[in-house]
Amino acid sequence: MCGICGYIGPKEISEETLRKMNQTMLHRGPDDGGIWQSRNNERNIGMAHRRLSILDLSQMGHQPMWSQDRRYVIVYNGEVYNYRELRTELETEGFRFCSDCDTEVVLNSYIRWGAACFRRFNGMFAAAIYDCESGELILARDRVGKKPLYYYDHDGHFVFASELKPIMEYPFFRKEIDQDMIGAFLCNKYLAAPFCIFQNIYKLLPGSILIYHKGELRQSLYWDVAEEYVKNRKYIVNHFPKAVASTKEILIDSVKRRMVADVPIGTFLSGGIDSTLVTAIAQNQSEYPIDTYSIGFYDKERDEAPYAAEIAKHLGTNHHEHYVSEKDILNLIGDMTLYYDEPFSDSSQLPTMLVSGYASEGISVALSGDGGDEIFCGYRMYDWTWVAQHADVLGAIAAHIPGMRKLEGSLPPEVRAFIHNRQKDVKTQLFMDVMVEEADKLLGRQVKYAKHSYEAQLSMQNWQERRMLLDMRTYLPDEVMAKTDRASMRYSLEVRSPLLDHRLIEQSFRIPHSYKYHHFEKKYLLKELTYQYVPKTLLDRPKKGFGVPLRKWLRTVLRDEVKQYAEKCRLKKQGIFVPDAVDRLIMRQEHSDKIMYSSMLWSFYVFQKWYQRYIEDLWRV
């Protein structure tokens, strides 16, 4: 993996400044770095790249990389797994290659096919290509949004980067918080594309292309989950054994493609269905025992390491197990805001950083099981969505009962969520109204953008399917993929996700929903496929997740620090939160086990730590 950044603007920046922007992403690419600057039609342009060498470790893979005629220049972050087939096709058309890396294939593909090339790629990527003749800059992001890409557009300045850090180092960037995004973050724990915490900065949507030319922006989607769902539903596979076999065939090829590297490769093995299936197929494709990595917790309620070890033994992998203490996890909190340079409060980022750091000691590429829950119906939220759809009539009746508003305060949040769920276009975003109520109090104003407007584009009648597609567009790229990307790149580790091969996603759209959610059993087809490799007895157990004991921490080891961030005099100076509302949230979290209170307080804590690092340190003694 790599890091990219660049700019087009009316004013030139120094070479030293561009290098400094690039250097903020050293962790993304410690093996090599390069910059290029020029002036074209009274506009200054610069591009920079940090390289983590995975394919073709020679200097022939150095970036920025030029086309042979010197018209085009590219900086690129990612892996295109079908690059060799594309290279062969391009060679038959007269293209010549100097390297064996996919970057050169991506560049020549663009020269040959234009923006249509991105639909030909099977992989994960964020790319920027500049046409020195026309002055056009094109940005593109992979279908699922595995690789990040931000851009800043203001007052004639256009800056792009893999992370926010390079943009923050751009001398003409105005660091102004978008106040509307704070409430959306508190409710969701992340910000979904195109939104960002800063004004005038945006995330490029997954599966999209942006063209910047003479100060004008044009954006288009080349792949969209809703469109692909509708397209593929025309070819439903109404035969379970055939659906299993065709899914298996695609997944085997997906894993094989992601095992190609010129550096050591292994897998994350948590002991769950998804990572077990990916690991089993990878081991089946290897002549030697592959390296597998797990972390264990001394807290037995959260520890799945023994299960992972049993599965590794059954598969015959070279298993590595590392137990971490609560102190080990807490020690990472200081790094959290440094590498997640936008507020991000999914606490599983901490153990993800730990397993990434441990694995990076032995390998440079890890395969993960990310994506199985979203495309094969694996989250508990999908159970709630089923219940909500079937109880919607009761919720509508309750909403019209006289005096219900007065009774609501005594009702459980789950019941209130069903009663409030009256908006047609956001039916699957359960419990968000309850979170918004709390965030409204904390901020002293009405929260905007907490609910994702994309759901309005999803017309299917089954709420579970709608929620899955919504998650693929929002939660998957901007929470799951962002978490894994930042955690792994913190340690210069590339993570590949075979279950997110676009062919497998499109295949999932051709499978009847009843093959995924079968008599209340989630991921039914994926489990049946996994049992072909691993006995059911090794996997048949409740899912524990990969989180941390937030309630306990917020009441004990983090209690004093949280209260420090909630000091009334500091909050008044900051001018974002209502001090009395923050105090009430702290008290509720201490006396209630409702997840919403610990979740909201943790998000408040993370935001304050982010604010302290990137905006102003109001708490310095």
Side-chain angles (χ1 to χ4, degrees):
M1 278 300 99
C2 307
I4 64 175
C5 66
Y7 75 96
I8 295 179
K11 298 180 181 179
E12 183 180 8
I13 68 173
S14 68
E15 185 175 297
E16 179 184 354
T17 298
L18 185 56
R19 289 190 188 280
K20 187 176 181 182
M21 291 168 62
N22 199 32
Q23 198 68 8
T24 63
M25 302 182 294
L26 179 64
H27 53 285
R28 297 189 73 91
D31 298 328
D32 187 23
I35 66 169
W36 164 75
Q37 288 196 104
S38 185
R39 185 170 176 81
N40 189 353
N41 296 325
E42 299 183 354
R43 303 282 286 172
N44 298 281
I45 178 160
M47 300 174 82
H49 182 262
R50 289 298 326 177
R51 184 185 184 197
L52 175 62
S53 301
I54 301 295
L55 292 169
D56 190 347
L57 310 186
S58 74
Q59 273 296 303
M60 299 307 294
H62 178 80
Q63 297 183 43
M65 181 181 288
W66 288 86
S67 61
Q68 291 187 1
D69 61 3
R70 305 289 291 183
R71 175 176 171 176
Y72 299 94
V73 59
I74 183 173
V75 286
Y76 159 79
N77 166 30
E79 302 288 351
V80 170
Y81 304 116
N82 62 334
Y83 81 100
R84 286 178 174 161
E85 295 98 308
L86 292 169
R87 174 177 171 145
T88 299
E89 185 176 351
L90 289 165
E91 284 176 331
T92 63
E93 298 197 21
F95 284 84
R96 296 293 175 261
F97 292 84
C98 301
S99 71
D100 189 36
C101 67
D102 57 344
T103 307
E104 193 175 9
V105 173
V106 171
L107 180 56
N108 283 329
S109 294
Y110 178 73
I111 294 170
R112 171 62 183 87
W113 296 299
C117 72
F118 298 110
R119 277 197 68 90
R120 288 173 166 259
F121 299 156
N122 179 336
M124 54 181 181
F125 57 84
I129 301 172
Y130 183 69
D131 183 339
C132 295
E133 186 175 298
S134 70
E136 278 191 348
L137 174 70
I138 183 167
L139 304 182
R141 193 176 179 202
D142 66 71
R143 293 171 177 83
V144 183
K146 299 169 198 168
K147 291 293 102 183
L149 192 54
Y150 293 88
Y151 64 93
Y152 172 70
D153 181 30
H154 182 66
D155 201 20
H157 295 273
F158 185 85
V159 189
F160 66 88
S162 297
E163 297 182 0
L164 288 177
K165 295 183 192 68
I167 299 177
M168 286 190 272
E169 291 293 336
Y170 183 69
F172 306 108
F173 166 61
R174 296 180 183 177
K175 189 189 291 184
E176 298 172 326
I177 293 177
D178 187 335
Q179 296 292 326
D180 286 337
M181 293 300 105
I182 300 174
F185 160 71
L186 292 174
C187 294
N188 287 299
K189 300 188 282 192
Y190 68 97
L191 292 173
F195 299 119
C196 175
I197 193 62
F198 290 123
Q199 294 181 29
N200 304 309
I201 295 186
Y202 310 90
K203 300 182 184 84
L204 190 63
L205 288 169
S208 71
I209 297 165
L210 180 151
I211 297 175
Y212 183 81
H213 188 224
K214 296 181 179 179
E216 299 293 326
L217 289 180
R218 301 197 313 272
Q219 293 194 57
S220 61
L221 287 171
Y222 67 88
W223 193 90
D224 176 71
V225 290
E227 291 180 5
E228 295 299 325
Y229 173 87
V230 172
K231 188 188 305 180
N232 283 279
R233 294 306 282 180
K234 299 173 184 176
Y235 310 103
I236 289 288
V237 182
N238 279 312
H239 185 250
F240 187 72
K242 185 177 179 180
V244 173
S246 54
T247 301
K248 181 179 180 180
E249 181 181 356
I250 295 171
L251 185 53
I252 288 173
D253 185 67
S254 174
V255 172
K256 285 172 64 176
R257 288 179 180 276
R258 284 156 180 79
M259 292 180 72
V260 176
D262 296 328
V263 293
I265 189 168
T267 74
F268 291 154
L269 181 59
S270 68
I273 291 291
D274 304 335
S275 67
T276 295
L277 179 56
V278 168
T279 298
I281 293 174
Q283 183 57 71
N284 213 36
Q285 297 298 315
S286 177
E287 298 178 11
Y288 309 99
I290 63 170
D291 289 300
T292 52
Y293 293 84
S294 298
I295 58 170
F297 302 101
Y298 294 115
D299 178 356
K300 296 304 177 185
E301 291 184 9
R302 299 176 182 275
D303 185 30
E304 290 191 302
Y307 306 122
E310 286 184 44
I311 291 167
K313 183 178 179 181
H314 174 81
L315 295 174
T317 71
N318 182 26
H319 192 56
H320 307 267
E321 183 180 272
H322 179 55
Y323 269 80
V324 296
S325 65
E326 188 173 274
K327 183 178 179 181
D328 293 326
I329 305 174
L330 288 165
N331 285 341
L332 283 178
I333 290 179
D335 273 359
M336 193 170 58
T337 54
L338 177 61
Y339 293 99
Y340 290 79
D341 46 12
E342 185 175 24
F344 186 91
S345 58
D346 178 349
S347 60
S348 66
Q349 67 197 110
L350 297 170
T352 304
M353 290 173 74
L354 283 169
V355 72
S356 296
Y358 178 50
S360 70
E361 296 173 5
I363 57 175
S364 297
V365 175
L367 305 188
S368 84
D370 286 337
D373 289 313
E374 289 82 2
I375 66 177
F376 287 100
C377 200
Y379 289 128
R380 189 183 177 198
M381 176 55 75
Y382 302 142
D383 290 323
W384 282 113
T385 306
W386 187 94
V387 172
Q389 181 167 13
H390 289 80
D392 193 46
V393 173
L394 296 177
I397 294 171
H400 290 89
I401 294 175
M404 177 55 69
R405 280 286 174 187
K406 295 180 181 179
L407 296 174
E408 281 189 13
S410 61
L411 295 175
E414 296 83 358
V415 176
R416 286 160 52 203
F418 293 159
I419 295 172
H420 289 175
N421 196 24
R422 300 300 102 219
Q423 289 179 267
K424 182 179 68 173
D425 291 339
V426 290
K427 281 288 190 181
T428 73
Q429 299 179 56
L430 304 172
F431 312 122
M432 190 52 62
D433 287 315
V434 180
M435 298 297 287
V436 167
E437 283 179 7
E438 197 64 36
D440 284 347
K441 297 171 188 173
L442 285 180
L443 298 172
R445 61 180 183 276
Q446 189 173 4
V447 166
K448 300 179 181 179
Y449 308 115
K451 293 185 179 181
H452 306 300
S453 61
Y454 186 74
E455 186 177 346
Q457 300 180 38
L458 307 175
S459 59
M460 57 287 305
Q461 295 302 308
N462 185 312
W463 287 16
Q464 279 186 333
E465 292 181 280
R466 280 171 59 183
R467 180 56 191 249
M468 289 165 65
L469 292 178
L470 179 66
D471 284 345
M472 287 182 219
R473 174 61 178 266
T474 57
Y475 180 76
L476 178 62
D478 294 309
E479 199 280 351
V480 178
M481 292 289 95
K483 172 186 67 181
T484 302
D485 175 81
R486 305 307 192 281
S488 58
M489 295 313 298
R490 155 70 178 87
Y491 298 99
S492 306
L493 176 73
E494 176 177 309
V495 175
R496 300 175 176 178
S497 307
L499 289 167
L500 289 175
D501 188 305
H502 74 276
R503 298 170 302 162
L504 193 64
I505 296 174
E506 291 166 9
Q507 162 73 2
S508 78
F509 297 156
R510 295 189 288 271
I511 296 171
H513 187 66
S514 60
Y515 293 177
K516 304 170 192 175
Y517 194 78
H518 185 71
H519 299 306
F520 301 100
E521 184 172 357
K522 297 184 287 293
K523 293 200 288 196
Y524 181 70
L525 183 147
L526 212 60
K527 288 177 180 177
E528 291 300 307
L529 179 51
T530 307
Y531 299 151
Q532 294 182 15
Y533 295 93
V534 176
K536 185 177 181 180
T537 53
L538 292 181
L539 291 160
D540 195 10
R541 62 182 185 278
K543 186 174 182 177
K544 293 187 178 182
F546 206 40
V548 297
L550 280 187
R551 290 191 201 112
K552 174 186 172 185
W553 284 1
L554 291 168
R555 294 171 182 175
T556 55
V557 290
L558 294 180
R559 187 171 184 269
D560 290 343
E561 191 177 3
V562 169
K563 289 199 168 186
Q564 183 183 357
Y565 282 125
E567 290 175 355
K568 290 189 177 182
C569 60
R570 315 287 184 184
L571 291 182
K572 287 179 180 179
K573 186 176 180 181
Q574 186 182 24
I576 293 176
F577 299 100
V578 177
D580 289 343
V582 176
D583 283 345
R584 284 195 296 271
L585 177 61
I586 292 172
M587 290 297 294
R588 284 176 179 167
Q589 199 283 143
E590 289 188 352
H591 296 94
S592 171
D593 287 334
K594 292 294 183 185
I595 294 175
M596 62 173 289
Y597 297 130
S598 55
S599 174
M600 187 70 71
L601 187 58
W602 173 254
S603 292
F604 165 80
Y605 169 74
V606 169
F607 181 87
Q608 296 296 71
K609 290 191 77 67
W610 174 86
Y611 189 96
Q612 182 178 25
R613 179 182 292 276
Y614 288 107
I615 307 300
E616 183 181 6
D617 188 355
L618 299 172
W619 300 272
R620 183 166 30 203
V621 179

